[in-house]
Amino acid sequence: MQPPKAADASDAEPRPDSDRRKPDTDAETPAGSTLAGSEAPQAERVSGDEPLLPARVHRPSDLLRLLIGVLAVVVLFSVAAFAHGTTTGLEQDINKGTGQAPDLLIKLAGLVSSIAVLLVPVAFAIERLIKRDGLRIADGVLAAVLAHGVTLATDLWVAKSASGTLQDALTQPQPGDAVTDPVHGYLAPVIAYMTAVGMARRPRWRVVLWMVLLLDAFAMLVGGYTTPFSIVLTVLIGWTVAYGTLYAVGSPNVRPTGQHLMAGLRHVGFRPVTAMRADDAPDSGDQSDRGRRYLVSLEDGPPLDVTVVDREQQAQGFFYRVWRRLTLRGITQRRSIQSLRQALEQEALLAYAAIAAGANAPKLIATSELGPDAVMLVYEHIGGRSLDALEDTEITDDLVRGAWEQVKALQSRRIAHRRLTGDAILVDRFGTVFVTDLRGGEIAAGDLVLRMDVAQLLTTTGLRVGPERAVAAALAVLGPDAVADCLPLLQPIALSRSTRAQLRRLARERSQREREAVLEASDAAKRARAEDAELSRNGDRKTARKSLRTEKQAEKRAMDDALEEAREEDLLSQIRREVLLIRPQAPVEPVRLERIKPRTLFSFIAGAIAAYFLISQVTEADFGAVVEQAEWGWVAAALGFSALSYVAAAMSLLGFVPERVSFGRTVLAQVAGSFVKIVAPAAVGGVALNTRFLQRSGVRPGLAVASVGASQLFGLGCHILLLGAFGYLTGTEKTPSSLTPSRTVIAGLLTVAVLVLVVTAIPFLRKFVVTRVRSLFAGVVPRMLDVVQRPQKLLTGIGGMLLLTGVFVMCLDASVRAFSGPDTPHLSYASIAVVFLAGNALGSAAPTPGGMGAVEGALTLGLIAVGLPKEVAAPAVLLFRLMTLWLPVLPGWLCFNHLTRKGQI
C-alpha cells in the first residue's frame, strides 16, 4: 500500500459512471478531472450491494430558505402597514436623491434593463440545454409559473382587501386615478426562474444577474413606476417561490457514489479493489447524519473503513438540532449549519484526541474531499459488530466494563462522546470494545455534558443487560461518586432520540401487560361469580342480591390488586434505585434542562395571536364611557354567580365518587383549581388536581382516575346536549310557530357530522382519537355502574353539572347587563347559553392556560353574532373573564397552599 498523500479537491473529482446516475450539471458533478477518465475501468469495481441513489432529494436547506422568505414577507407587510411615516419618508428620500438623474440616462437604463431581464434567462437556458441539463430548466419554468400566480394573487389582495397604508407603501399613483402594480408581474417570475435553475451559484452569471436586477430597480424607481417596498416584495416572492418549488419537486442529486469513492482513494495513494456498503443497521433518528460507510479491500494490505459525508446527509436532522439548541439550557450543541470542511476537521480532531486519551477508537489514516459536496475519512478496519447487533447472551460483564473503560478514558481528557448508543459501541472478534461515531463529540466538555454521557451509557447498557448489571459495571469502573452524580441527568430529555424511542416502546409494553393482568383478573372474577350464581339460584332473592353486591366488590378489589401486582418500574427508576443502594444520599431531583417546552411555545404563539385579535376587536370601544355607565349591582351579581360555580363544581365531582369525601375540602379543591388552570391548559390542570385530591382523600388511584374520567365523560355529553338544545331554541325564537331551527345551527351540525366522518374514515386520525379517548376514560364504565346503583349520588352529579352551566350563563348574562344601556338589544338566556357553551368548548380544547385568548375571542365573536354591539360585548367578556379566571387566582393560591400543607393534594 502506498503511503497516503494530501489531495486537492479540484483534481479528486471522478466522473460518475454511465450505468449509475448521470450528472445533472457539469459544475455540480463531483467529478471533472482526467483522473477519473484514465482509471475508469478500475473505478467500476464496486460491490453490487451499493444501493442506487435517488435522482432527486428534498433538501432541508431549501425548506429553511422557504420559511425565511415567508417570514421576511410577513415582516415586510407589517412594516409597510404600521410604519407609515417610515415608508413615506423613505420614498421621499429616494425620489429626492434620484430626481437629479438625467432623463436620457433614465430612459436608457429602462430600455437596457427591460431587454436584459428577458434575454439573460433565455441565454442561460440555451447554455443549460447545450449541456443536457433540461430538467433544471423545467424546474425554473415551473417556479416562474408559480411565482406569476402568487404575484397575481398578491396584486388582487392588495387592491381589494389590504389597508390604505399598505397600498400606499406598495403602489405609486399614476395619471387617471390609476396606480402601479404592488408586485411586478414579470420580474418576480424571472427571479424565481433564475433562483430555481441555480444561476446564482455560477460566478459569471451571478454578476450579470445582479447588474440586471439593480439596473431594472433603478430605472423603475427613478421613473416613478414602483416603490422600494414593492421591489423588495417582488424579490422576496420570487426567491421564496423558487425554493418552495425546489423543496416540493426535489433538487437533482449530486451525491457521490461508490465509483467516486474508488477514484478518490486512488488519488490519495491507495489501490482499492472493491468497495461494499458496510452499514449494519438503518440510521437512527439521532445519527442520520453520520455518513455512508464502506468496507474497501486493497490490492496490497488490510482493508479500510471509509466514511463518506455529503451535504445531504449532513443536513439531515437540521431542524431537530436547531430545536435542541433553542430548548436545552447549559448544553453546547454542535452548530446546526456546519460546512463540510468543518465537519471533516471536527471528526478528525475527535479521532486523534480519543486515541491520545487512551481510548480504543478507529485510527484515522487519511482524509480528502470528493468534489465540492462530499468528503471522506479513511480509517483502519476494525471489524466486529456493534452492541445492538450482539445477542443478549454475548454481552458479558467484561464487555460492559470494557465500554465503561472507554468512557473513563475519554472523560479523563474532558472529551464528551454525545452519542453513546448501541451503534457507537463496537466489539471486535477478540472482545475488545471500541467507541465510534465521534463526529458529534466535544473537546473540553463541561461537567454537565460528561454526566450526560454517563447517564446515556447507563441507559444503553441497561436496555441490554438490565439495570443491576449496568450499574454494577459502571460502579466498578467509574466509582460510586461519578455514577451518583449522573442521577439528576437520568431523564428522557437528556438521552438520545433512539433511546427515548426504545423507552417509549417499553412503556407501551408495560401498559399492555398491566391491561392484560386486569382483564385476566376480571374474567376470573366473572367466572367465579357465575359459578356462585348457579349455586345460589335456589336461595331467596334478597340473599342472592346481597351476594351479588359482595361479589362485585370482590371483583373490583381483585382488579385493583392485579393492577398493583402487574405494575412495573420503568428502566430509569430501576437504575436510580440500584444507584441509591450504594449512595442513599445521592441527589435524584432531575436537573431542568429544557429552556422552553413545546407546549409553552405553542401557548405563547396562540396567546399572542389571540391577543392581537382581541386588541383589533376592542380598539374602537370607548371603555372610559362604558365603565362610567356600568351598573355595579350586576357586577356584584356576576361575582356571586362566579363564587357559586365552585359549589356546583364540587357537587358535579362528588356525584361520581361513591366513597365518602368531605364536601368542604372538595369545594376548596375546586377553588385551588382556579390557580392551577392559570399555569396549565384548562382541560388538563383540573383533571390532574381532582385526581390527586381524591387519591389523598382515601380513594384508590385507579378508582380516583375512573371517577374523574366518569365526571369528564358525563360532562362532555351534558355539554353537547345542552349546546344542541339551546342552539335549537335560539333558532326557533324568531319563528316560534314553525319550531324550525336556524340555518346556522343546521350548518354547525352538518360541519360536526362531516368532521366525524373524516376522522372515522382516515385510519391515522381514527386511531389517534380512539387511543386518546380510551386512555382518558379507561375504567369509566365500571365506575358509572357503581354510581348508577346510588341514585342520590347520580342526582348530585347531574344537578351539579346543570347548576355549573346555569351559574356560568347567569354570570355572563349579568356581565352583559352591567354594560348594557337603554338602547342595547336584549339577549335571551338561550342565546347567551349557546355563546357560553361554544366559548367554553374552545377554551377546553385550546392549549393555552385557562383557555386564555381562545375563550375571549369566541365569547366576543359569539355575542356580536347574536346581536350585541361590540362596544358592549368586549367589556362584558372582559368582566366575565375577570370574575371567573383572574379574581379567583389569589383565593385559589391560598387554598392550594392550605391543601398542600394538610396533605390533601
Side-chain angles (χ1 to χ4, degrees):
M1 182 183 68
Q2 297 180 0
K5 59 183 179 180
D8 187 271
S10 61
D11 56 1
E13 302 176 349
R15 189 170 294 276
D17 216 28
S18 59
D19 61 344
R20 299 288 297 172
R21 173 178 40 79
K22 292 183 179 181
D24 296 286
T25 64
D26 59 331
E28 293 184 346
T29 303
S33 66
T34 58
L35 175 66
S38 61
E39 302 188 21
Q42 294 183 11
E44 296 176 0
R45 302 173 66 181
V46 180
S47 170
D49 294 337
E50 163 85 344
L52 289 175
L53 298 177
R56 286 179 173 267
V57 292
H58 301 277
R59 295 177 176 174
S61 57
D62 293 336
L63 178 60
L64 178 63
R65 293 186 178 99
L66 168 64
L67 298 178
I68 293 175
V70 172
L71 179 62
V73 171
V74 172
V75 171
L76 178 69
F77 280 145
S78 302
V79 173
F82 296 106
H84 180 65
T86 303
T87 58
T88 304
L90 180 62
E91 291 180 9
Q92 293 176 353
D93 293 340
I94 293 177
N95 292 333
K96 182 178 179 180
T98 57
Q100 306 299 326
D103 185 64
L104 179 62
L105 178 62
I106 296 174
K107 293 181 178 180
L108 181 62
L111 178 63
V112 173
S113 62
S114 300
I115 298 175
V117 163
L118 299 177
L119 287 183
V120 171
V122 173
F124 184 79
I126 295 174
E127 190 256 354
R128 288 291 91 195
L129 291 174
I130 292 175
K131 295 188 177 182
R132 299 181 181 180
D133 194 13
L135 288 178
R136 192 175 293 275
I137 300 301
D139 295 341
V141 172
L142 176 60
V145 172
L146 294 177
H148 184 65
V150 174
T151 298
L152 293 178
T154 305
D155 287 344
L156 182 62
W157 173 74
V158 172
K160 300 296 183 182
S161 304
S163 62
T165 56
L166 193 60
Q167 292 178 356
D168 294 340
L170 296 176
T171 59
Q172 284 277 22
Q174 298 294 311
D177 295 333
V179 293
T180 59
D181 293 332
V183 184
H184 303 287
Y186 69 92
L187 190 58
V190 169
I191 294 175
Y193 167 84
M194 293 188 294
T195 304
V197 298
M199 184 183 294
R201 291 193 294 267
R202 291 163 174 82
R204 289 176 296 179
W205 289 102
R206 182 171 62 243
V207 173
V208 175
L209 170 64
W210 279 108
M211 289 180 59
V212 169
L213 291 178
L214 291 176
L215 188 62
D216 187 72
F218 171 77
M220 289 188 296
L221 277 175
V222 174
Y225 298 109
T226 188
T227 66
F229 283 90
S230 177
I231 292 178
V232 176
L233 179 62
T234 301
V235 174
L236 288 177
I237 288 179
W239 190 74
T240 303
V241 171
Y243 284 111
T245 304
L246 289 178
Y247 185 76
V249 303
S251 302
N253 194 351
V254 295
R255 298 172 64 180
T257 62
Q259 287 85 357
H260 307 147
L261 170 65
M262 300 287 278
L265 287 172
R266 286 193 302 274
H267 190 65
V268 294
F270 298 102
R271 296 180 180 178
V273 177
T274 59
M276 179 182 297
R277 282 289 292 270
D279 295 337
D280 53 1
D283 292 341
S284 59
D286 54 326
Q287 294 195 9
S288 58
D289 61 340
R290 62 182 182 179
R292 289 176 287 147
R293 300 175 180 179
Y294 292 86
L295 174 61
V296 179
S297 60
L298 304 177
E299 293 181 3
D300 182 19
L304 302 174
D305 289 327
V306 182
T307 300
V308 177
V309 182
D310 54 63
R311 294 191 188 279
E312 303 307 325
Q313 280 187 311
Q314 189 190 25
Q316 292 181 16
F318 166 78
F319 294 104
Y320 174 74
R321 294 194 297 271
V322 170
W323 177 251
R324 295 274 289 185
R325 191 179 185 91
L326 291 176
T327 57
L328 295 185
R329 61 172 71 196
I331 301 176
T332 304
Q333 291 284 113
R334 76 176 178 88
R335 293 177 56 183
S336 301
I337 301 178
Q338 195 177 36
S339 68
L340 286 173
R341 169 66 66 176
Q342 291 171 332
L344 184 147
E345 292 173 350
Q346 181 180 3
E347 185 164 354
L349 175 62
L350 265 296
Y352 291 135
I355 294 177
N360 296 329
K363 184 178 180 181
L364 183 64
I365 301 176
T367 60
S368 178
E369 294 184 356
L370 293 179
D373 295 307
V375 295
M376 70 173 181
L377 298 100
V378 184
Y379 294 94
E380 284 186 351
H381 178 64
I382 297 177
R385 292 175 295 169
S386 66
L387 186 66
D388 286 343
L390 295 177
E391 299 291 338
D392 292 341
T393 56
E394 299 179 272
I395 305 177
T396 63
D397 292 339
D398 290 338
L399 191 150
V400 179
R401 283 194 294 270
W404 283 109
E405 291 287 353
Q406 309 313 311
V407 174
K408 181 179 180 180
L410 292 176
Q411 297 203 350
S412 67
R413 301 296 178 85
R414 313 292 296 181
I415 301 174
H417 188 282
R418 305 295 298 274
R419 287 180 172 180
L420 285 172
T421 58
D423 286 339
I425 300 173
L426 198 67
V427 183
D428 66 5
R429 59 182 181 274
F430 302 109
T432 305
V433 179
F434 290 79
V435 287
T436 61
D437 291 336
L438 291 164
R439 187 182 321 127
E442 185 176 331
I443 301 292
D447 290 337
L448 187 64
V449 180
L450 296 178
R451 291 158 61 195
M452 286 179 63
D453 268 2
V454 177
Q456 174 64 59
L457 189 56
L458 270 176
T459 309
T460 300
T461 54
L463 287 170
R464 298 305 310 273
V465 301
E468 297 85 359
R469 293 175 59 190
V471 172
L475 292 173
V477 177
L478 298 183
D481 293 334
V483 177
D485 287 342
C486 82
L487 290 185
L489 278 302
L490 204 62
Q491 49 183 306
I493 190 64
L495 305 177
S496 65
R497 192 192 301 186
S498 59
T499 304
R500 295 199 301 271
Q502 287 182 278
L503 293 176
R504 286 194 297 268
R505 177 179 56 81
L506 293 177
R508 289 193 296 267
E509 293 176 356
R510 287 197 306 273
S511 300
Q512 181 64 27
R513 288 194 294 269
E514 293 175 1
R515 286 193 295 267
E516 291 175 354
V518 172
L519 291 176
E520 290 178 2
S522 177
D523 293 340
K526 288 179 181 178
R527 288 193 297 268
R529 188 171 61 189
E531 294 175 358
D532 294 340
E534 288 289 337
L535 295 176
S536 61
R537 180 170 297 176
N538 297 328
D540 60 340
R541 294 183 178 179
K542 184 176 181 179
T543 304
R545 287 196 297 269
K546 184 177 180 180
S547 176
L548 181 61
R549 287 195 297 268
T550 304
E551 290 167 357
K552 286 184 177 180
Q553 294 175 358
E555 179 183 353
K556 289 189 295 183
R557 286 195 298 270
M559 293 172 61
D560 292 338
D561 294 339
L563 181 60
E564 291 295 332
E565 293 177 1
R567 185 170 286 115
E568 305 173 18
E569 280 188 314
D570 63 279
L571 177 64
L572 300 184
S573 298
Q574 295 179 44
I575 293 176
R576 293 190 194 98
R577 177 166 47 81
E578 292 295 326
V579 176
L580 291 176
L581 293 177
I582 307 299
R583 281 288 186 271
Q585 303 301 323
V588 295
E589 186 69 23
V591 175
R592 184 180 176 185
L593 298 176
E594 287 182 301
R595 181 181 291 111
I596 182 173
K597 295 182 179 180
R599 187 182 68 187
T600 304
L601 180 62
F602 188 80
S603 300
F604 175 77
I605 295 174
I609 295 174
Y612 174 78
F613 171 77
L614 286 176
I615 292 173
S616 64
Q617 290 292 319
V618 302
T619 48
E620 299 181 5
D622 188 359
F623 286 104
V626 172
V627 171
E628 290 177 359
Q629 301 172 1
E631 298 185 20
W632 295 101
W634 286 111
V635 174
L639 180 61
F641 287 127
S642 175
L644 186 59
S645 66
Y646 297 102
V647 178
M651 293 173 56
S652 65
L653 175 63
L654 293 182
F656 297 92
V657 183
E659 294 80 6
R660 184 179 298 275
V661 179
S662 172
F663 183 79
R665 287 199 297 267
T666 306
V667 174
L668 292 180
Q670 305 313 303
V671 179
S674 62
F675 166 71
V676 174
K677 68 182 180 181
I678 290 296
V679 296
V684 177
V687 172
L689 179 68
N690 287 329
T691 303
R692 180 72 172 175
F693 169 73
L694 292 180
Q695 292 178 9
R696 289 303 183 97
S697 299
V699 183
R700 291 191 175 187
L703 299 180
V705 174
S707 295
V708 176
S711 175
Q712 293 288 318
L713 179 60
F714 198 91
L716 176 63
C718 184
H719 194 101
I720 294 174
L721 291 177
L722 289 175
L723 182 60
F726 284 118
Y728 188 90
L729 292 176
T730 302
T732 59
E733 284 177 349
K734 295 182 180 180
T735 56
S737 59
S738 63
L739 293 180
T740 302
S742 66
R743 293 182 178 181
T744 304
V745 175
I746 296 176
L749 294 176
L750 291 177
T751 302
V752 172
V754 170
L755 291 177
V756 171
L757 290 176
V758 170
V759 170
T760 55
I762 301 177
F764 170 75
L765 294 178
R766 182 172 64 250
K767 181 179 179 181
F768 177 82
V769 173
V770 170
T771 302
R772 293 300 183 273
V773 172
R774 183 180 299 168
S775 62
L776 180 61
F777 300 116
V780 167
V781 176
R783 198 61 165 169
M784 290 290 291
L785 295 177
D786 293 339
V787 174
V788 169
Q789 296 176 5
R790 295 171 173 83
Q792 184 178 1
K793 282 284 187 180
L794 183 61
L795 183 61
T796 302
I798 296 175
M801 289 182 178
L802 295 178
L803 178 61
L804 183 63
T805 302
V807 297
F808 275 130
V809 172
M810 297 300 295
C811 182
L812 181 58
D813 178 69
S815 300
V816 172
R817 292 176 183 272
F819 295 99
S820 297
D823 299 331
T824 304
H826 175 70
L827 300 182
S828 65
Y829 287 111
S831 300
I832 295 178
V834 170
V835 172
F836 164 74
L837 292 170
N840 189 50
L842 289 177
S844 299
T848 55
M852 284 186 291
V855 174
E856 288 84 352
L859 293 180
T860 304
L861 282 179
L863 292 176
I864 294 174
V866 296
L868 195 68
K870 65 180 179 179
E871 293 80 6
V872 178
V877 169
L878 294 180
L879 175 62
F880 174 76
R881 293 292 281 171
L882 177 66
M883 295 299 176
T884 59
L885 180 66
W886 296 109
L887 278 184
V889 170
L890 180 57
W893 178 73
L894 296 175
C895 292
F896 184 85
N897 289 334
H898 172 73
L899 294 175
T900 301
R901 288 194 303 269
K902 296 294 184 180
Q904 297 297 322
I905 55 175

